[in-house]
Structures are given as structure tokens and as C-alpha cells.
Amino acid sequence: MARANLLERLHTIQDTYGYIPENEINKLSDQFDLPRSKVYGTIKFYSMFYTEPTGKYMVRVCDSLSCHLNDSEGLVTAVKNYLGIADGETTEDKKFTLEVVECLGHCGEGPVMMVNDQIYTYLNENRAIQILKDCM
Amino acid sequence: MLNFLKKDPILAIEDYDFTAFKQVLNTPAENIISDIKTADLKGRGGAGFPAGVKWELARKEKSAEKYVVCNADEGEPGTFKDRYLLENSPWQVLEGILISAYVIGAEKGYIYIRGEYVKPIKIFNKIIEKAEKKGLLGENILGSEFDFELELIRGAGAYICGDETSLLNSIEGQRPRSRIKPPYPIQSGLYGKPTLVNNVETLAAAVEIINQGVETYTALGTAESNGTKLISLSGEVNEPGVYEIEFGSLTIREIVEQLGKGIRNNGQLKFVVPGGVSTSILPQEKLDIPYSYEDIKAAGSNTGSGAMIVVSEENDLIDLMLNVAEFFMSETCGTCFPCREGIRQVCYLLENAKERGYLTQRDFELITDLSQTTYLAARCGLGQSSLNFVTSVLEHYRDELLQGGGQ
Amino acid sequence: MATALIDGQQVDFESGETILEAAEKVQIKIPTLCHAEDLSIYGGCRICVVEIEGERLLKPACATKISEGMKIKTHSPKVREVRRNIFELIVASHDISCRLNCLTCSRNQSCELREIAADIGANQTRFDPIDKGYDDDRSSVSIVREPNKCITCGRCIRKCEEVQGVGIFTMANRGPATVLTTFGDKGMGNVECTNCGQCIHACPTGALHEVYHYDRVWDMLKDEDKFVVVQTAPAVRVALAELFESKPGTIVTGQMVAGLKRLGFDRVFDTNFAADLTIMEEGTELIGRIEDGGPFPMFTSCSPGWIKYIEHFYPEYLENLSSCKSPQQMFGAVAKSYYAQQHGIDKEDMVVVSVMPCTAKKFESGRGEMDQDVDFVLTTRELGRMVKEAGIDLVNLAEEDYDPMMGESTGAGSIFGSSGGVMEAALRTAYELITEEELEELDFEPVRGAEGIKEAEVEIKGMTVKTAVASGLSNVGQLLEKIKNGEEYHFVEMMACPGGCIGGGGQPIPTNQETVEERMKAIYEIDAGKKKRKSHQNKEVQQLYEDYLGAPNSHLAHELLHTNYIKREI
């Protein structure tokens, strides 16, 4: 049962630091008696875990099929242009990280975007940009 | 309208009376299992395995420790009905978990909710807290001999965790790739112990079967599809959303037109994805079939998770195929070669085709070979079904895709 | 016993057998790639899929248990087509390009993909190659990793974790971005890698190989100002011939010496000489500990993979390590002092090259404590390359002798190459030095053989000396845990590689249980054929003490032949 709760521990660490720092991986590896490579490999599987700091606002725009049919591509382009960054990048001022993600589970309300824990539905380009402006 | 599953939200514990669970506590477990078997409740996560059989097998396993896991890692594009239940009927979901645990003899359970579902996670954390206070979780639940502890696990962005063996690896803190079956989780699941994994909707439906009585439930539906099903309707309809329908009561076209209120902007219907992006599409001309496991299967597709995605004529088919293939490419665990490399090559071929504007004969040949190989040889359900969408679009719209000169 | 049909052949099987195992019994070869006998089942490559009557999907033969009445087709048209398709996908992701050409690959003679291609009748590659664009990992002084060639079969991961108990590798990411890497992507040189090189043996492709020294050695050989001496480890002579189509276990000591002379080395010496020297030092150290009452157990220190392992994982036991340098390093130290002085060679002009069955020796030679006593370390495989490059028909050469002064060796020195050998050699000498009586039975059978952990008790002058031997780092770890839990030994031999140096990471590919056992037989054959089988009988070693070092564990001996260790972080 060595690995029980590893996932939840990783969440807690990320909730604290915003990412999972190296020394925390070392500690987990000790506590769970696992090679640190295994903890690292587990972290790196998940798209919502980060081993490097991200922007203050994590912006996730869904581009899976249902949203795609509701022009999420246009939304993605607008957000990219507004923030001046590509998928996976962080703005220079460390405020925003943008990720084009798979389904967020609000397929009936697309296109959708998540900013940190908040989900925004039925978006159009202007509203999305307003939401980002409000974060500033 | 039926309201077995789609109900007004109940969030206060005082408003929920756990009738089914109380009844279960006073009924031999065999009888409950027999009811669920008679109801022929099929797993609502997508695989459709009979829940009663699963429960029976899990109960028969001899082990001091057993686990139940509620699979709330709903991640297939187009699917949001479990989120609906978690947000609106969390007590019913909890009740389903309690019943399944009691019936198979498990004292520990997990509910695994995908990390993106922030609101359901908050709700369920409170549910567990309140339930513990009220004696619905813990020792001697409701004064019975039944002890049960439930823990919420947050996912962290990985669709593959919806596969039950991957889910178990995830809970165990391993890289969540699928496990080789057999052994099945029922025999050797979490930490090698017998483990029953059920989807959110399956558990909620089990509660309703007990509440309504199995006769009421089986009176609904068709020969092979009893009761009701939650449908996540999305795509290019005027009124997307979660709908509960009695199996067989509406055709797919009727669902689109009556529930979805037709195609938006008066568009023309092209095809429907009946069960999420892992299922084959049904073209416009095949939509006059009743919504049921058997009719959809006969039409060449699958009920899947009940995610119905409606697509109009106003789309670039290659773009849609690429979108779906890219989803699977970013979500395959990467363990088995046909799935990992096969989907990658399909994406590559489709990217080139998208730029070109049409598919070549060679693209057809290669994608067909890859679909076949991935279907036959991939390690788990994700891989095996990953190219259903692409293959079925190719099959139904061959001429259209070759247009512009396919020779 | 139950029966099933494989390709129409009736096969009897025990419950629990896989289709792959059962098929072998009726002479049917099912191709495999991610499967390896000494590793856990992975079921990733799907090359071994077969058709089972009544099943919709194909099943991996490596991971599917055969059951009563099963009707299996291992090479049906469907199976063959799927295999070819999967193979094409592998090739496309294996980054075949002009830069990463098969011809210049480290595995150009031993690539398993080529074997698979032949086995499945591959005749086309329809997919465009994928440029994965990873950088090579050159952070380690022992091993290079070329991730673009990696097909992520996970064999190295499992080898490192399951056989070696270390676990530096992991898969990271997912989907096509799945990549094999180390913690934090730091590189093998910056994590707790022991440099044992077992991962190289696990790898079916050229994604892992040693850091090459042979081009530098060529440079030294052509430099007329350099006096280049070479030493050959005990395990090389019983494996080198495998690189020239000879059977495993073929002994080519004399031919190898002749070959090295033809390559242009100024002197060809024997690490076995240094092994005898090691026994004099280590045996004396052991006797000293017995007299002083510890610390026990004393651990051998010849295997640099083991040394790095204990430094990382069990630093609390560092004082238990013998302070003796390994034979390789003793050789270098003696060559650059004693030999150089006796022959008026400037130390700066002397180049010491080792031929080792080992990748960790490359790391060892570069350790700060070692004072550059050994300049270059060639693996057995690298020597094979040089011999081929020079066009030498090695196995048919007339045998020649090692050069004098550092070329003589006893049977005891020879068996250093096998797990249990150092122990046996030490006991032969310690027994005679302590009792001052001749040892009648020289063969210590309990410490011989291929088992991972061996134990033996030896009566020496009324004292029961408790010994243990472990090879393969997960066995080493197990033995250490046993010791931690209170098991007492006086003397313990630890070797990083399964079977000892004969199974080393620098040995010919394949190195597996079968080849290791054959090489082991040859090692003991060499020992049995020697007139002198005890290290203290080595005349040249005796001469070295007489002319230069004084006595074992003397001040000068300590300065030259002993070392210290470092606690390393994980």
C-alpha cells in the first residue's frame, strides 16, 4: 500500500506552491519509499500537475469536439492573440498560463474556458477577453 | 418526463431520506443483487457490462478486504451527465455507493472525481463530511452492523483514468496506464483486493431500481434496454443539455428535434455521434432508430456514455476527424505501440489532408490499416475504440472526402 | 496437465503458463520485443499478439495465460498483418534518418528490430519517420542515452528497478510524448545511477550504449611519445570471442593478448595480476579486522557499481567497505609508479588503458580519489570494435603471453570475474596466511554458481568465518537489509551485475543467464588449469612487495592501493 494517497498528496503540494517543487518530490520519495523517478513519472503523466511554476491565472480553453463545433478555435485564437502567448506558454509578467485542453465536461454550454477554478460557459471572444481583463 | 435521475437538486441532507439504502439494510444482499440483475442495469460509463453480474461476482469473492470505487472521472468529450448527478443528486450517488458497498461487503470506498470538476469536488467533500456527522459513513451506519469509509480522490487531468484498471493505478499513485486483464478488478483490483468499480449514473440508477421497484423499472424501455438513460446532448442543437429518456421512447432524430429543438441556425443535420467520441457516427439517414442499446448496435455504433453530439453540414469533416484523433493522441497512456504510434500517424496523415483539403487513396488505405491494427491489438478499451469516429466518417463520406481528386 | 491447440499442434501445459511459453514447447517462435525473461510482463509492444478462436480481439502471447481447449493461431494472416503494421509504426518512431543511421548505430550487429523485421517478413515502411527531436543524454561518464532511438518498451526501466533494485528510469508524459527519462529529466549522470550498464543489455535498440573511449585510445596508440599499457580484466577473455561468432564461454586469453599487441599497445598486462595483489591487500585487511574484532562485515570493493550503490543507498555502511582500490585501479597505480620507475618512463607519458566487462569502470577511473591512474577504459565490446577495425582475425591468432612484471596471475586472480570469485580467492589466501598450513581443498563450492545470494561458513583455526556473496544489485540490497536486521557476517562479497563481472554492462550482447553461465564455466576452467591457484603464490606480486611496496598494508601500499568513499545524496 506504499503509494496510497500519493495523488492527494501531490494535489496538496500543488495547492500550496502552485506547482510541485523538486524537494517535495524528494520528500515524497522518502515517505513512500519509492524511487524518486517513479514519483516524477507519475506527476508527469497528468496534465494538471506542474513541475515548474505557472502563471498566476491558469487559463484553460476547451477544444474538444462539442466545443469545437461551437467555434472554440476562434476563442483559442482570440485568447492567444490577447495574451500574446501560445498553447502551454506563460506571459512574461507571469500572470497567465494558457492551455488548450481536452473536454472540461461542460459540452452543452460551449465554448468554455476555465480560469483557475472558475468555469465560464457560452463564451464569445469579447466576453472571454473581458474575463481576462478583469483578472488584471 | 421521467425523473428517476433528472431531478430538482437536493443538497441538504435533511431533505434526503435514503429510503433505498434503509431498505437494503433490511433485505438479504442476494435479493438486492437479484433485483439489479433482473433490472438488467448495464454499466452507464460506456462499456455496458451488467451491473448486477458485477455485484454478484464481487460479493462471491472471498477476501477480508474489498473496495468499491465510484468512477466519476467523466472525461469523454460530449459527456457531462455524471457532473449533472454529482452537482444535483449527490446524496443519491452516495446512496448508490453505500448500497454497492453493503451488498458486496466492502468497508472502504473511493469516489474518484476528475480534477477539472471543481464544483462537484467541493460538493462531494461536503457530502462526505455531513454524512460522517450524520452517521451515514463510519462505523455502525444507521445503527446497523455495516461499517464503511469513503474517500474522495481528485483526478489530475487524464482521460485514461476513466478506464477502470487505469483508475485503480491512479488511486494507487502509479502512472495510470491500463492493467492487463485478467485478472479483472473484481478478482484483483485496488492493492490486489477484489474491487467493484461503478459509474456514477449506474449507482444512481441502482438506487432508483430499489426505490421504484424492479417491476416498474423493467416495464420501461425495450427488450434489451430497461429503464431510462441520461443523455448528454451537445453540438449544434438549439437546446443542448442533460435529458433523461426512457429507452426506446424516442428515435435519435426525435431526440435531436424534440429535445434539442433542431439544428441551430436552421442548419442541415449531417450525423450524430451517439455515445461519445469513442463511438462510430450515425449518418443522417440512419437516425430513425429508437434509442436503445440494441438498435444503436444494429446500426453499427454504440450507446457508449450516452453523449450525443450533433453535427451539421457546415463542417470540414477532415477537421473534425483530426479534432477527435488529437483528443485520443493526447490522452492515450502511451504504453502500447499500436495505440500510441497508430493514433500519432493518423493525426499526421489527417493534418496533411486538412492542409491539402482532401484525402488521398493512400491516406484511406493507411488510416484503414491503422484503425484495424489499433482496434485488434491495443491494450485497452481506449485504444481499441480510439479510431471508431475516424473510421466511421471515412466509411460514410468516402466520396466527399476524396473530392478534389483522390487518385 | 491440460491441453490446447497452437497452430494445430497439441500442447500440454501447466496452469499459469502463458501462450508464449506454451508455444515454445511445440517449436513455435512468437516474436517479442518488450518481453524479457528476467523481467516482469509489460504487454506494451503487441508484436506478440495472437488470434484465439472465439475472441474478437487479438491477445498478447506474453501476457495471456493459456487455458484448456484454447485454439490459438500464432501466425494467421490477420496476426501477420497486424504485426507488420505495428512494426512499421515502430520503425517510423525510431527516428531512422541519415544522422541516426543503422550502419553507425552501436547496435548495428545486434539490433532486435532487425531480428523482428526478419521474423515477421517486413517488406515496406509506409509511414514518414517522426523527428522526436530529443537531445542525447551525455551527462554520465559511463553511459550515453539516445532518446530518439528509444521505442519506450520499458525494458531498461524494469531491469534497473527489478533486477538492480535502483530504479533511475521512468516514463514521463503520455501518448506519443511518452518519453523515457530520469528524475527531473536530470540525466543519468546526475541521479543515483550506479553506471552498472545492465540497461544496455536490456535495450533492444541502440538507445543506450557506453561512453566510447576507443577513438581516444586509437589517438594514444598513434602518438609516438606515449607509452601505452593495457590491462585486461578476468571476465573479458571468456566473452570477447562472442563478438567474433564464437560460442559463449570460449576462452581466448592468448589470442586477445596477441591481438592487443597487434593493435600497438606497448605492454599488455593482466588485471588478474592486480587481482592477486588485491587479495594480498584485502586478505591482510580482513585478517586485521578479525584480530581487531571488526568492523564487520567487511565488504569487498572491486565492483564500482556496487560502490556507487552503497554510497547512495547505504552510506551508513561505508566504513564496512574494504579500503582496497579495485584491481583496475591498483593496476593503474602500480603501473604509473613501480613499472614506470623501473623502466625510466615519465609518468606523464604513460597511458594506462583498461579492457573491462564493465561500464562503471569508466566512472571509477575518473573518481577524484583515483588520481588518473587509469586513463581510458574500454568495454569488451569496444575492444571488439577496435580489433575488427584493425582487420584482425582474433580467434585464429597464435596465442601470446602477457608481458612480464605485471602479467603473471594465479587461478585466484582469474576467478575475480565470477560472482563468488573474490570471496573464494580471499579465503584461499586468508586460510593459509592465518593457519600457516596448506589448504587441501581449494574449491569453495558454496560460493560458486549463478544464484543471486550465496552463503558459506569456513572454519579457520577454530574460528567460524561467516561469509556471504551477492550479485545483481537487488540481491545486494536484499542482503544488506538482512544485515541491517541483525544477520552477522565477517566477510561479504558484493557485485553489481548478475553473475558478477562476466555479466557486466560492458560485455557482448546478448548477456543473459545462458551466456553468463557459459562464461562462468570458462572462468573456473581457467582457474582449474593453473598450476598456482592462490594469490600469495604469484611471483610477480611477491617481487612487487619485495622491490617496492614492502609488505601488504604498508604505508606505501596504503598510499597507492587504498582509497576512501563518499556519502552521496539520492
Side-chain angles (χ1 to χ4, degrees):
Chain A
M1 262 213 211
R3 288 180 165 196
N5 304 323
L6 179 61
L7 203 63
E8 199 48 43
R9 290 289 300 282
L10 292 170
H11 273 298
T12 312
I13 292 166
Q14 182 156 292
D15 289 347
T16 310
Y17 300 96
Y19 72 108
I20 301 168
E22 192 178 306
N23 63 332
E24 293 293 329
I25 302 179
N26 283 330
K27 281 191 219 160
L28 288 175
S29 145
D30 276 353
Q31 287 161 15
F32 287 91
D33 195 22
L34 283 171
R36 54 188 181 156
S37 64
K38 302 295 144 197
V39 181
Y40 178 74
T42 299
I43 294 168
K44 294 297 275 186
F45 190 95
Y46 295 98
S47 60
M48 293 174 79
F49 285 143
Y50 304 90
T51 49
E52 300 288 335
T54 59
K56 185 177 173 201
Y57 296 100
M58 172 58 70
V59 182
R60 297 185 169 100
V61 187
C62 171
D63 188 35
S64 283
L65 188 59
S66 301
C67 282
H68 193 76
L69 290 166
N70 288 291
D71 195 26
S72 51
E73 229 176 358
L75 185 67
V76 168
T77 311
V79 173
K80 275 183 182 168
N81 288 343
Y82 178 72
L83 295 176
I85 50 173
D87 182 14
E89 291 181 348
T90 300
T91 53
E92 255 175 48
D93 61 4
K94 309 281 175 215
K95 268 213 148 149
F96 295 97
T97 298
L98 172 64
E99 284 187 351
V100 181
V101 299
E102 299 301 348
C103 189
L104 292 169
H106 287 260
C107 323
E109 305 158 286
V112 300
M113 170 171 98
M114 247 179 126
V115 180
N116 292 344
D117 281 355
Q118 187 63 45
I119 188 110
Y120 298 94
T121 55
Y122 302 113
L123 286 176
N124 58 39
E125 294 173 17
N126 291 338
R127 259 197 74 218
I129 287 165
Q130 191 54 49
I131 290 161
L132 297 177
K133 275 186 182 157
D134 292 344
C135 293
M136 297 282 195
Chain B
M1 283 309 279
L2 283 154
N3 56 358
F4 281 15
L5 298 168
K6 196 175 177 196
K7 304 174 181 179
D8 292 334
I10 302 180
L11 292 174
I13 191 165
E14 291 72 22
D15 300 336
Y16 196 82
D17 50 18
F18 292 92
T19 334
F21 178 52
K22 286 172 186 161
Q23 188 189 328
V24 167
L25 286 177
N26 295 310
T27 314
E30 287 74 12
N31 296 8
I32 304 297
I33 288 173
S34 155
D35 280 357
I36 303 297
K37 277 175 77 180
T38 310
D40 191 25
L41 172 62
K42 293 181 175 71
R44 302 292 198 230
F49 190 83
V53 176
K54 236 181 178 179
W55 288 20
E56 185 171 45
L57 292 169
R59 181 173 168 79
K60 279 182 183 159
E61 284 292 324
K62 291 196 171 39
S63 170
E65 269 174 81
K66 290 181 189 177
Y67 295 100
V68 292
V69 176
C70 173
N71 185 347
D73 191 53
E74 178 176 64
E76 182 148 341
T79 318
F80 45 101
K81 45 103 186 165
D82 290 342
R83 180 174 61 78
Y84 177 89
L85 289 170
L86 294 168
E87 290 179 358
N88 294 286
S89 311
W91 293 111
Q92 187 167 341
V93 176
L94 176 69
E95 192 178 14
I97 296 171
L98 286 167
I99 292 171
S100 68
Y102 175 79
V103 162
I104 73 153
E107 292 185 0
K108 171 89 195 180
Y110 294 91
I111 175 163
Y112 187 103
I113 306 181
R114 65 182 305 212
E116 293 87 342
Y117 278 5
V118 177
K119 190 175 164 195
I121 288 170
K122 279 190 187 145
I123 290 174
F124 229 86
N125 267 325
K126 283 202 192 110
I127 292 287
I128 292 177
E129 204 184 300
K130 284 190 210 165
E132 281 169 351
K133 278 196 192 133
K134 287 275 181 180
L136 277 153
L137 287 171
E139 289 177 5
N140 302 109
I141 293 170
L142 299 180
S144 72
E145 300 277 283
F146 176 50
D147 302 338
F148 182 68
E149 191 190 328
L150 181 66
E151 201 176 313
L152 190 154
I153 306 244
R154 287 184 274 172
Y159 166 69
I160 184 72
C161 293
D163 165 80
E164 60 178 12
T165 60
S166 307
L167 182 70
L168 300 179
N169 278 340
S170 180
I171 295 175
E172 288 184 15
Q174 310 202 37
R175 278 173 65 80
R177 51 167 208 216
S178 63
R179 295 180 180 177
I180 296 165
K181 294 185 277 194
Y184 292 89
I186 291 290
Q187 305 151 330
S188 172
L190 206 52
Y191 309 114
K193 307 289 180 209
T195 304
L196 174 71
V197 185
N198 280 133
N199 166 262
V200 173
E201 187 189 344
T202 314
L203 292 168
V207 172
E208 281 309 303
I209 291 167
I210 295 162
N211 271 336
Q212 311 285 338
V214 66
E215 293 78 16
T216 314
Y217 195 82
T218 48
L220 297 169
T222 65
E224 289 174 41
S225 313
N226 285 343
T228 68
K229 172 89 188 85
L230 286 182
I231 288 170
S232 315
L233 187 61
S234 72
E236 297 171 88
V237 284
N238 283 309
E239 289 194 21
V242 174
Y243 298 96
E244 180 172 15
I245 70 157
E246 179 190 347
F247 278 111
S249 64
L250 292 173
T251 65
I252 292 178
R253 194 186 304 281
E254 284 164 349
I255 292 172
V256 173
E257 281 167 7
Q258 293 174 23
L259 303 180
K261 302 285 188 284
I263 306 293
R264 62 162 190 236
N265 304 330
N266 295 317
Q268 288 297 308
L269 178 57
K270 180 138 188 141
F271 63 80
V272 169
V273 186
V277 295
S278 64
T279 61
S280 299
I281 64 136
L282 294 176
Q284 189 276 126
E285 62 274 16
K286 281 194 176 179
L287 298 179
D288 297 305
I289 53 163
Y291 185 87
S292 72
Y293 284 104
E294 59 272 31
D295 290 296
I296 294 176
K297 194 176 171 197
S301 186
N302 201 298
T303 326
S305 60
M308 211 176 262
I309 306 170
V310 180
V311 179
S312 80
E313 286 282 358
E314 298 297 305
N315 287 288
D316 172 1
L317 290 177
I318 301 176
D319 174 58
L320 298 186
M321 286 193 287
L322 180 59
N323 180 276
V324 171
E326 279 177 339
F327 166 77
F328 284 103
M329 182 169 79
S330 67
E331 297 296 342
T332 156
C333 75
T335 301
C336 81
F337 296 12
C339 177
R340 181 186 74 217
E341 300 302 335
I343 302 172
R344 159 150 64 187
Q345 287 292 346
V346 167
C347 284
Y348 175 78
L349 293 165
L350 287 172
E351 257 169 53
N352 288 342
K354 187 178 163 185
E355 206 159 293
R356 195 193 303 122
Y358 60 90
L359 284 159
T360 62
Q361 290 287 2
R362 185 174 169 277
D363 292 337
F364 260 87
E365 179 198 317
L366 291 180
I367 295 175
T368 310
D369 277 8
L370 290 174
S371 315
Q372 182 71 355
T373 292
T374 310
Y375 167 71
L376 286 171
R379 187 178 155 108
C380 75
L382 182 150
Q384 288 149 15
S385 62
S386 60
L387 294 170
N388 281 343
F389 179 93
V390 170
T391 321
S392 58
V393 170
L394 288 186
E395 190 185 309
H396 292 294
Y397 303 104
R398 187 187 169 89
D399 293 343
E400 191 181 329
L401 289 163
L402 285 173
Q403 226 169 33
Q407 305 309 305
Chain C
M1 202 60 102
T3 60
L5 276 184
I6 304 182
D7 297 339
Q9 306 296 312
Q10 188 172 317
V11 60
D12 299 330
F13 61 90
E14 307 284 349
S15 140
E17 247 174 76
T18 63
I19 295 176
L20 184 68
E21 289 161 343
E24 214 179 291
K25 297 200 293 199
V26 282
Q27 295 76 44
I28 294 165
K29 181 184 178 189
I30 299 173
T32 59
L33 195 47
C34 71
H35 179 265
E37 271 178 8
D38 57 343
L39 305 178
S40 63
I41 289 168
Y42 188 63
C45 74
R46 320 305 278 185
I47 280 285
C48 72
V49 287
V50 296
E51 206 175 335
I52 301 171
E53 201 179 280
E55 296 259 1
R56 199 166 40 96
L57 305 173
L58 305 181
K59 296 282 174 189
C62 69
T64 308
K65 303 255 190 301
I66 190 165
S67 59
E68 175 66 37
M70 234 182 211
K71 288 183 185 146
I72 298 154
K73 288 183 201 152
T74 66
H75 289 77
S76 67
K78 200 197 255 179
V79 165
R80 296 204 315 264
E81 196 188 324
V82 164
R83 278 189 197 140
R84 284 188 184 189
N85 283 340
I86 294 172
F87 182 75
E88 283 185 71
L89 288 169
I90 295 171
V91 170
S93 75
H94 180 53
D95 205 3
I96 305 262
S97 67
C98 291
R99 194 168 55 82
L100 286 161
N101 197 298
C102 282
L103 304 177
T104 54
C105 180
S106 66
R107 296 290 290 275
N108 56 6
Q109 298 297 305
S110 57
C111 177
E112 286 183 36
L113 294 183
R114 293 179 16 161
E115 203 183 316
I116 300 269
D119 284 351
I120 67 167
N123 57 4
Q124 58 178 351
T125 52
R126 295 169 297 170
F127 303 110
D128 289 344
I130 295 153
D131 182 7
K132 291 187 277 192
Y134 298 119
D135 291 330
D136 289 351
D137 175 7
R138 296 187 180 275
S139 60
S140 161
V141 297
S142 288
I143 299 164
V144 179
R145 216 169 61 78
E146 299 185 22
N148 293 317
K149 288 184 187 173
C150 172
I151 58 168
T152 62
C153 67
R155 272 162 49 173
C156 58
I157 300 184
R158 283 173 284 151
K159 187 87 162 199
C160 190
E161 193 174 345
E162 296 167 12
V163 176
Q164 295 300 72
V166 176
I168 66 155
F169 293 122
T170 181
M171 301 272 189
N173 309 331
R174 65 186 190 219
T178 303
V179 64
L180 214 135
T181 184
T182 50
F183 167 66
D185 208 17
K186 288 172 181 295
M188 296 176 75
N190 302 317
V191 294
E192 54 274 26
C193 174
T194 67
N195 304 305
C196 73
Q198 288 302 317
C199 52
I200 297 173
H201 290 309
C203 184
T205 74
L208 284 158
H209 60 80
E210 63 271 56
V211 172
Y212 293 129
H213 287 185
Y214 65 90
D215 268 337
R216 303 284 306 283
V217 172
W218 278 128
D219 289 344
M220 294 299 124
L221 289 170
K222 111 189 138 187
D223 187 336
E224 286 176 6
D225 296 333
K226 299 288 183 195
F227 189 83
V228 190
V229 306
V230 65
Q231 57 168 323
T232 62
V236 176
R237 68 206 67 190
V238 296
L240 182 65
E242 291 166 38
L243 297 167
F244 302 91
E245 277 87 51
S246 297
K247 278 194 307 209
T250 305
I251 301 167
V252 285
T253 317
Q255 295 88 332
M256 175 180 69
V257 172
L260 287 164
K261 288 184 176 170
R262 286 208 192 182
L263 286 176
F265 287 99
D266 294 299
R267 293 290 181 275
V268 180
F269 290 133
D270 203 352
T271 312
N272 295 21
F273 161 85
D276 281 333
L277 179 60
T278 304
I279 288 302
M280 297 310 293
E281 292 295 322
E282 199 163 328
T284 307
E285 187 183 356
L286 177 64
I287 292 165
R289 289 204 195 196
I290 289 174
E291 283 164 359
D292 299 345
F296 292 122
M298 183 169 103
F299 293 130
T300 60
S301 56
C302 324
S303 163
W306 145 244
I307 296 298
K308 195 145 179 284
Y309 178 82
I310 188 174
E311 288 179 329
H312 278 298
F313 297 102
Y314 292 90
E316 65 271 30
Y317 284 107
L318 286 181
E319 66 159 14
N320 294 68
L321 276 174
S322 160
S323 64
C324 289
K325 287 182 183 173
S326 71
Q328 153 169 289
Q329 294 303 133
M330 284 199 185
F331 175 91
V334 171
K336 283 197 175 174
S337 56
Y338 167 69
Y339 194 87
Q341 277 175 33
Q342 301 267 333
H343 291 80
I345 302 161
D346 189 344
K347 187 183 168 184
E348 299 305 310
D349 291 335
M350 184 186 268
V351 176
V352 174
V353 177
S354 310
V355 187
M356 294 284 143
C358 183
T359 46
K361 289 281 172 194
K362 290 178 189 267
F363 173 84
E364 183 188 57
S365 70
R367 286 179 70 114
E369 306 83 34
M370 297 302 175
D371 205 21
Q372 207 60 53
D373 289 332
V374 172
D375 297 283
F376 301 103
V377 177
L378 301 171
T379 59
T380 309
R381 295 188 294 266
E382 284 178 272
L383 175 60
R385 282 176 166 246
M386 291 182 77
V387 168
K388 276 186 189 153
E389 198 180 345
I392 298 167
D393 177 10
L394 186 110
V395 289
N396 291 314
L397 288 179
E399 296 186 38
E400 292 187 36
D401 288 330
Y402 284 104
D403 288 312
M405 273 185 82
M406 296 178 73
E408 182 187 337
S409 66
T410 70
S414 321
I415 57 176
F416 261 59
S418 170
S419 161
V422 179
M423 173 65 63
E424 185 168 342
L427 290 175
R428 288 180 192 171
T429 287
Y431 183 91
E432 294 202 353
L433 293 186
I434 294 172
T435 62
E436 294 175 351
E437 290 166 12
E438 201 183 319
L439 183 63
E440 306 255 308
E441 178 53 58
L442 289 183
D443 297 351
F444 286 83
E445 288 296 342
V447 298
R448 294 189 177 185
E451 304 92 286
I453 299 178
K454 295 167 277 191
E455 295 183 352
E457 290 185 1
V458 188
E459 293 294 324
I460 304 181
K461 214 178 179 179
M463 178 186 175
T464 306
V465 179
K466 287 190 72 182
T467 67
V469 170
S471 72
L473 287 173
S474 68
N475 295 318
V476 164
Q478 272 177 44
L479 186 54
L480 279 166
E481 286 300 320
K482 220 172 149 182
I483 291 166
K484 246 186 160 168
N485 291 325
E487 189 71 34
E488 291 179 350
Y489 300 102
H490 294 99
F491 191 32
V492 174
E493 178 204 294
M494 301 285 205
M495 294 288 168
C497 294
C501 307
I502 44 177
Q507 290 284 62
I509 292 165
T511 285
N512 50 34
Q513 189 159 345
E514 190 189 328
T515 54
V516 166
E517 279 174 13
E518 291 306 315
R519 293 171 197 162
M520 192 177 282
K521 274 186 215 154
I523 286 272
Y524 287 104
E525 195 183 310
I526 292 174
D527 172 38
K530 290 265 187 183
K531 282 199 189 81
K532 296 179 192 167
R533 295 181 62 199
K534 289 167 278 192
S535 294
H536 52 282
Q537 295 172 315
N538 185 320
K539 279 273 182 279
E540 288 182 354
V541 169
Q542 289 169 8
Q543 194 73 36
L544 168 64
Y545 280 112
E546 219 163 279
D547 292 353
Y548 192 67
L549 291 173
N553 288 8
S554 69
H555 182 73
L556 183 58
H558 258 284
E559 204 168 285
L560 288 175
L561 308 180
H562 291 252
T563 185
N564 53 297
Y565 307 101
I566 306 165
K567 177 180 176 357
R568 294 177 197 269
E569 300 296 318
I570 296 177

